[in-house]
Every structure is written in C-alpha cells, then in structure tokens.
Amino acid sequence: MSYTELKREVYEANMQLHHRNLVVYTWGNVSQIDRDKGVVAIKPSGVAYEDLKVEDIVVVDLENTVVEGKMRPSSDTKTHTHLYRHFDNIGGVTHTHSTYATAWAQAQEPIPCLGTTHADYAYGDIPCTAVMSDAQIERDYEEETGVQITDCFTGKNPVETPMVIIAGHAPFTWGKDAAQSVYHAVILEEIAKMAYLTRTLKQSVQPLKQGIMDKHYLRKHGKNAYYGQN
Amino acid sequence: MSYTELKREVYEANMQLHHRNLVVYTWGNVSQIDRDKGVVAIKPSGVAYEDLKVEDIVVVDLENTVVEGKMRPSSDTKTHTHLYRHFDNIGGVTHTHSTYATAWAQAQEPIPCLGTTHADYAYGDIPCTAVMSDAQIERDYEEETGVQITDCFTGKNPVETPMVIIAGHAPFTWGKDAAQSVYHAVILEEIAKMAYLTRTLKQSVQPLKQGIMDKHYLRKHGKNAYYGQN
Amino acid sequence: MSYTELKREVYEANMQLHHRNLVVYTWGNVSQIDRDKGVVAIKPSGVAYEDLKVEDIVVVDLENTVVEGKMRPSSDTKTHTHLYRHFDNIGGVTHTHSTYATAWAQAQEPIPCLGTTHADYAYGDIPCTAVMSDAQIERDYEEETGVQITDCFTGKNPVETPMVIIAGHAPFTWGKDAAQSVYHAVILEEIAKMAYLTRTLKQSVQPLKQGIMDKHYLRKHGKNAYYGQN
Amino acid sequence: MSYTELKREVYEANMQLHHRNLVVYTWGNVSQIDRDKGVVAIKPSGVAYEDLKVEDIVVVDLENTVVEGKMRPSSDTKTHTHLYRHFDNIGGVTHTHSTYATAWAQAQEPIPCLGTTHADYAYGDIPCTAVMSDAQIERDYEEETGVQITDCFTGKNPVETPMVIIAGHAPFTWGKDAAQSVYHAVILEEIAKMAYLTRTLKQSVQPLKQGIMDKHYLRKHGKNAYYGQN
C-alpha cells in the first residue's frame, strides 16, 4: 500500500481529462512515474471515468509487470513505459483522442507554429510521427507506438516540445508530472483547433517568424523567464 | 404489463441520447428487441425528452402492430423492425440526426476510416446507402429506409460495422441492446466530426493502412481482444 | 393591464432564446400578436435577458405606437409589425443573429435543402433576401427590412417556409405563436450548421431530390401527416 | 488601500472572461485606468481564475511601476499602459487568445465587415497589425506590442473600432471601462467566428455595402442613436 499518493495524483489527473471534456467514454489515459521506486501508476483499461476510483489505478514496473492493483492496466501502458525509459526528464504522460489534435494526426501532418499561443508552450512544430510499418505492427503494437515517438524526437529535447501526434492515431503529451501532462493535452487541443481554423481560413499561411517564436518560448521557459509569479 | 424491464431500458437509452446532446427537440429514437417474445419497445412519436416517461414507451410486434402502450410509436418504427428482422445478431437500434454524421449523409459519401478512433469501433468505411428511388418513396418510405440499409450491408456483418448513414437523411446505429446502440451513435458522431476536420484540413487524405485498421479493430473485438477488463 | 397573458408568453419565448444559447448579450427579440385586439407584444430594446421581467415586455399596435409598457420596444419592432400586417397566417416572430444562419446571410446565399432534417421543417430553399438598396436604407431601415422579407415571399406561403435570412444581416423566423417562432429559430440554426458542414465537405453537393423533400415535408405537415401524437 | 473599488471592478471583469469561456487556464488579462489618480489595475501574471481574489489585483502607474499589490502584474502590462497613454478616450483594456479571433490573427488578415453584427460594434474592418520587426522584438516586446497597435490606428478613432488583432498573436479590445472591454472581447470572438464561417463557405464574399455599415453603426452609436433605453 505504499503507492497511495502516486495513485491519488494519477486518479486526479485522469479525472481532469474527463472534466475538461477531452475524452469520450473511456478514451484516454494518464500515468505518472515514481523514478525512485521505479514504478508507474496508470488508469485501468476500459473503465468509465464516472466509475473510476483511486484504488482502481494500477501500478506497474518499467517492464509493464503489475506491482499493485486488481485491474488490467491501460492497453497503452507499454507506450507510457517506453516514454519513461527513453525520456528521463519527464514525470507524467497523457494520451487522448482529443478532436482537433486527432484530426491533424489523421491528416498525418505536423502542427505548424502559427502564433504565439503555440510558441508559449512548444518550441517549433508539434511533430507528427511516421506511419507505423507493417513490421512494427506485427512486433508489439503498443511498444512500437512508443518507438514511433522516440524516433521522432531524435536530437530534440522532449521538454521543449512536450507533445506529439501519432500518424493515423492521436496525440501523446507529457510533463514533469501527471497533472502537467494533462495541462499540455488541454493546450495541445486548443493549439490544434487554432491551427485548423487558420489553415482552413488561409491555405497559404506561413509559420510564425523565428524571432517571435524565440521571444515567446523564452519569456516563459528560458533562463530569464518573467511570466508567472516566480 | 410484462414489458416493464424492456421499456425501462428503452426509456433510459432514449434519455442518454438527450443527455449526450445528440438530439434537438424530439429528433431521434431508440428501440430494443426482446427476441423471445418477438416484440420491440420504441420511443413514441414526437414526444419531447423532457416529458418522456417509462410508461410512454410503445411495444410493437415485428409487423409494427402495437402490443402495449397508448401512444403512437415513432414514425421510424418500420425501419427499426426491418433491421431486427434482417440483422438477427442485433438487439438495439438508434436513429439520430446528429450534426456531423448528418453532414456526411447529406454529402452522400461514406465516412472513410482515417484513424484508429474509427478503426476501434467500425471495420472499414462507414457505408452510405444509395439515394432512395422514386419507386421506393412511393411504396413505404420508412420500410424502404430499412431496405436501403440492408441492401447496403449485403455480404457484410452488421456487428463489425454497427453504423450506417442514409444518403440525404441521417445515421442509424445498432448494438447488442438499446444502450450499446446509443453508445455507437455517440461514437459515430465523434468519428464523423474527426473525419470532417481531417478532410477539410487535407482534401487528399488517404484511408488508414489496412494493417493498422486490422490491429485496432481486432485488439478490441477479435478472439484475442485485450482491451478492457475481461 | 389586459395584456398579461400575451406578455407572459412573449417573455417566456424570449427567455427560451437565451436558454437555448441562440443569442449573445441583448441580441435577438421575439414578439406575438393578438389579432383580435390588434396588438403585438415584444421585447424592450437593449435589455439583458438576465434582467428581463414580464412587465418589461412592451405592447404596441400595428402602426408601432406603444399601447402598454414603460420601456422603448425593440429597435426591430417595425420589421415585426410589417410581417404581421402582410403574413396574416402567422402569430409569432423571432429575430436572432444565430451564428450559422448569420454566416449564410453574410454569404448572401439561400440555404439549399440538402437533407430530410431541412425538409421536415421548410419546403425548399430557405430564401435569402436581396441586399437592401440605398433608397431603402434612407427611407425607413427597419420597415424596409420587413419589405425585403415580404418581397422575397411573393407567391410563397410563409407557413410552408417559416424562416428567411436577410442578406448581410441575419435570420427571421415565424410561427403560429411566439413559442413556435423560437422553435423554428433553433431548428434553422441547426439546419444552417448542417448545410455549412455539408457544403464545406463537398462543394459540389446537390439539393435533395424533390420526391424525398415532398415526402418528408408532407408526412409532418400535409393533410395526411402521421408524425407526432395527433 | 485607496484602490478598492478599481480593483474590484478589474477583478469582476477578469472573472467575466473566465465565465464567458474566452480563456483557457491563465490566458488573458483585463485592466482599468483611474485617470485622475494616474494608475491602472490589472490581473497578476499567471494566476488561475479559480484562485484569483480581489486583493491579488495589482495597481501600477503609467510607467509600469507597482503602486499597490504583492504579486507581479500581467506580463502584458506594458501593452496596456501604452494603450492608455496613447488612446486618451479609453478606460479599460482586455487581452485574450480567444479561438476564432486568434485564428484571424494567425492568418495575419484584418476581419472584414461582412454583416450587421459586425457593423453594430466596429466601424469597418477590424484591423490586423503589421508583423513585429526584429528590431522591435529586441527592444521591448510588450511595449512594442502596444506600438504595433497604435501604429495601426493612426488616423483612426479607437472608440469607433474598439478592437484589433495582432499579427501572429491574438486580439486586444478596449472600452470605456474594464467591463466594456470584456464585452467587446466577447463580441469580437463572435464576429470572428461568423466571418470565419462566411469566408470558408464562400471564398469570394465581399464586405457589406457602405450604406448598411453606416446605418447600423450610427443607429447604435451616432448622435441620433435609437437602440436601447436611452
């Protein structure tokens, strides 16, 4: 019973997904890692948010073995643990099928940085992975979804762009903990909606100039950030 | 008074349509069959959801004769009973004019499978029927709406694609019972919205590759399904 | 104080506009006529719905003279009374700037009948008036808005198509009483949204075939209508 | 403690932004000036609306020095004070990243006046600023955002068009006080949505003719205005 606090945080982050209307029925799942203990707490598979309880949250180790909990963990668990193993500076992961971000994923295109709303949270394009190869599908689908993401971030800092869309599938976001990964999922959906509207309004729209991208990202996240209270 | 439980389930499924904002005013109707008794319970015609009560639900036989209830059954009753007579593996039917699914119906195009959200629930395109012929309109409009659907599913298993859009009209969905047919109506609307956004974002978008379609559909519905708790 | 019941009905119909989210701030107004008394009750000008009370409703005669009430009637009053004088088979009128119907008005195009949702409530296109001429603007703007509408309905029965969009402006709807005119305003907005989605999905979409239009309109409104409970 | 009333009005205007769903998380800020005292009250930086209290509102002078309050003022404060210094007939300023207005800003296009909804509140196009130059970005980003706006209003009366969109960024609106600047932010978002829908429905749409623009703007705002109760 040593994972009470971790499970509570993961429970609350999952319920935020529901309250912020990012999920339909059981879609979506949020996890958080305790790196000291080497465990990840995650939503159980296929449970409705209305019925979800703290004690339903499942704890697995980084090889996906259940450590605590009576239910089966999310069918996307292997994608989450893959991300924790490869991105050592993240603490929480969220997966949704939020409507506008999923539309970009289905269009199989990165979301271009068209304005400062985007630049405030993600540095440059929000990348779109390659389509999964037949060999990958046959290997281990959920693990390979993680591989799609990490392949796509080669040479990139996942903290500077805490979100990705999987071609033909849907988004994943991450953050320092479960709550921040949900926060990024909400923001991604809004960015994706604004980019959709801009692109359909003006097909020829160009990305924001580099200088403004830098300014906005750095005033929030750089060494001399001056947004917020500290 | 032997249909109490059937009527309650149909009442609750109809109210779900209302609570999930799939219907405007009296639009939409849900039914469920009791195959042992050979009867179908369905919403009465033109009654507002705010006023609907369990006892208003009408019970008809498979030839549309009222067996229990004081009100006139939904004007779409013949379409429902046609489906129950021809699709022997379904237990509930829902009809709505939900906004995005209806837009595809008005465009008279099937909804292509553009992503895993779709592949999780329907195998391949969501078919669009042919436009009703003048001869059909003159025969028996509501019965022929059923014929449009069953003609469109020749050689297809309706359980693998539990939804259809009627050209120039609106969607029908079905499931093992009334509740699941409503669940499919909610999901169809979300799939239709995502497909609309994807198509208007990128006119040239292609359907998801077969391997991913298979994987997603089968991990939820195949013999070795591993989504959910059992 | 003889108009209590009329004012209450007009008050409640105005509040329905607000509850159904068809209006922003003070936009929109609903009226109802008492043909025996030759008076029309209408929303006062520029009053917020949150503050509106039954006693604020203003009663005017058909020449727009205030008969009862301390407030100034809606600035659109002359359009309402023009409609009552020229369409002798209507009892209520609603004006909104609802989003999708207004988009069609701004595009200065009639809303084509693309599906049965539309055909259930309006027979054929929802007409769009001509743009107001400079001479009309200089004469009496609100009266001439009524003229735009009645000119557009020459040879048409306003009961068969209880809605219109004013080019560059917004919709008006009507019905047998204030409540039904609001009902038609809600339905127009949904029809306008579906038509917008259909057109942007498929530029080349064609109107519904005449036979289905007839069938749907007549099963609800014809001599042998069989929708609803009587 | 002499700014209690000013802070309360600014607090309430900020909460209106939240209640009217114009902001996600901490996005957006509202201020109001007391011209006699030469001070501006504004939202603190990065505080969630759920947690915001009257006493958190920060008071600064027109050179952005904090006069009262323990928190850091909005990172956009310099833009607000720039506007107060240059537009001497305004009393409140609102900044949001509301979805449709931001889409136009990202498309870097003014919002054309396509209908009377727009003409009722803004005279002519809602201008879009030039993209900020590299020299401006390096100088003082927030001050220069104000310069972008005032440059764009050379020769224009800011009261006749109380709103602007910043290229690649988002909208600012203003009014006689904080509450009216929020009112204009709500209306701008609705106008922007209608214009988006109209343009995507009909690429070739033309602005409203001058005569109707004049009529609508002047019946609400001219010397002989006759909308509302006085």
Side-chain angles (χ1 to χ4, degrees), chain C residues 26-27 45 97 99 141-142 196, chain D residues 121 190 200 216 219 226 228:
Chain C
T26 60
W27 304 357
S45 182
H97 286 216
T99 314
Y141 184 73
E142 289 77 14
Y196 168 83
Chain D
Y121 295 97
E190 184 65 16
T200 50
H216 265 262
R219 80 173 184 167
Y226 53 93

Side-chain angles (χ1 to χ4, degrees), chain C residues 25-27 44-46 71-72 75 97 99-100 103-104 106-107 109 131-132 134 137 141-142 168-169 196, chain D residues 20 114-117 121 183 186 190 194 197-198 200-202 205 208-209 212 215-216 219 226-229:
Chain C
Y25 291 118
T26 60
W27 304 357
S45 182
M71 305 187 96
R72 191 185 292 185
S75 59
H97 286 216
T99 314
Y100 285 86
W104 283 94
Q106 294 190 158
E109 291 205 14
V131 175
M132 196 181 281
D134 289 341
I137 297 170
Y141 184 73
E142 289 77 14
H169 186 167
Y196 168 83
Chain D
R20 296 223 172 231
L114 301 177
T116 63
T117 320
Y121 295 97
Y183 177 76
V186 173
E190 184 65 16
M194 286 175 174
L197 296 173
T198 308
T200 50
L201 187 59
K202 187 178 183 172
V205 68
L208 196 60
K209 62 191 280 188
I212 300 180
K215 179 66 191 175
H216 265 262
R219 80 173 184 167
Y226 53 93
Y227 181 87
Q229 294 302 321

Side-chain angles (χ1 to χ4, degrees), chain A residues 88-99:
Chain A
D88 58 11
N89 48 3
I90 67 170
V93 171
T94 292
H95 175 47
T96 77
H97 286 215
S98 69
T99 314

Side-chain angles (χ1 to χ4, degrees), chain D residues 1-19:
Chain D
M1 286 299 175
S2 45
Y3 307 117
T4 313
E5 185 51 26
L6 181 67
K7 285 161 71 176
R8 178 173 306 280
E9 288 182 34
V10 167
Y11 166 77
E12 279 166 8
N14 274 285
M15 294 310 288
Q16 271 294 310
L17 268 199
H18 178 59
H19 294 316

